Amino acid sequence: MRAVLTRVSEASVAIGGEVCGRIGRGFLILLGVGPADTPADCDKLADKALGLRIFSDSQGKMNLSLADVGGEVLVVSQFTLYGDCRKGRRPSFTGAAGPDTAVPLYERFLENCRAHGFEPQHGAFGADMAVSSINDGPVTLILDTDDWR
């Protein structure tokens, strides 16, 4: 699984012009699923992402977690994180998991957010979504479970 995690002061996702998820201070997580990903990968990714200490403490050091600052989470499915741009000018997305694999893992990630004490805002898997964010810092990190194998 891959996640692009951005620290935001606010973020939202809309489908068909209607906002379906909105947060204040917290994490915007773009989440992609690969065909070999497992529930264990999902659990590890959620634990890592939600526990990152990337908010500034009183000395200005990134030392506080999402929980420490009372932050929120917006999760958006993003199969294009598995886009392969090595050949030509049109990306290939054959490296992304199909819905049979991706949907259960996406939903599991949302459940992991809840289990960690964060009620996730989210879009809809496979929908055409408009995502807006005001990045804080900016601080953006890439997490890939393939790097942990």
Side-chain angles (χ1 to χ4, degrees), residues 2 4 7 12 29 39-40 46 53 65 67 89 95 97 104 124 128-129 137:
R2 292 181 182 159
V4 174
R7 187 179 74 186
S12 65
I29 300 175
R53 297 180 350 188
S65 70
R89 297 186 184 270
D128 187 9
M129 296 174 275

Side-chain angles (χ1 to χ4, degrees), residues 53-149:
R53 297 180 350 188
I54 61 171
F55 291 93
S56 297
D57 64 15
S58 60
Q59 282 83 41
K61 292 186 179 189
M62 283 192 212
N63 201 28
L64 300 177
S65 70
L66 190 63
D68 293 334
V69 300
E72 300 174 284
V73 179
L74 173 62
V75 181
V76 177
S77 63
Q78 188 80 38
F79 77 93
T80 60
L81 293 179
Y82 280 89
D84 183 348
C85 299
R86 292 178 290 182
K87 295 181 182 176
R89 297 186 184 270
R90 184 172 169 213
S92 169
F93 299 105
T94 59
D100 289 349
T101 299
V103 170
L105 290 176
Y106 171 74
E107 291 174 356
R108 185 179 183 107
F109 190 89
L110 296 176
E111 285 301 319
N112 272 301
C113 290
R114 290 180 189 99
H116 280 81
F118 305 102
E119 183 58 41
Q121 297 292 300
H122 55 86
F125 187 91
D128 187 9
M129 296 174 275
V131 180
S132 299
S133 67
I134 298 178
N135 297 353
D136 178 15
V139 175
T140 301
L141 301 167
I142 299 170
L143 303 172
D144 190 332
T145 58
D146 285 345
D147 294 341
W148 304 334
R149 292 190 177 120

Side-chain angles (χ1 to χ4, degrees), residues 2-60:
R2 292 181 182 159
V4 174
L5 184 148
T6 302
R7 187 179 74 186
V8 297
S9 54
E10 63 182 70
S12 65
V13 60
I15 300 171
E18 296 292 322
V19 173
C20 58
R22 180 186 309 266
I23 64 167
R25 185 180 194 192
F27 293 161
L28 167 60
I29 300 175
L30 305 177
L31 185 69
V33 180
D37 290 329
T38 67
D41 292 327
C42 182
D43 297 347
K44 186 170 183 180
L45 180 64
D47 187 57
K48 174 64 87 172
L50 298 170
L52 286 172
R53 297 180 350 188
I54 61 171
F55 291 93
S56 297
D57 64 15
S58 60
Q59 282 83 41

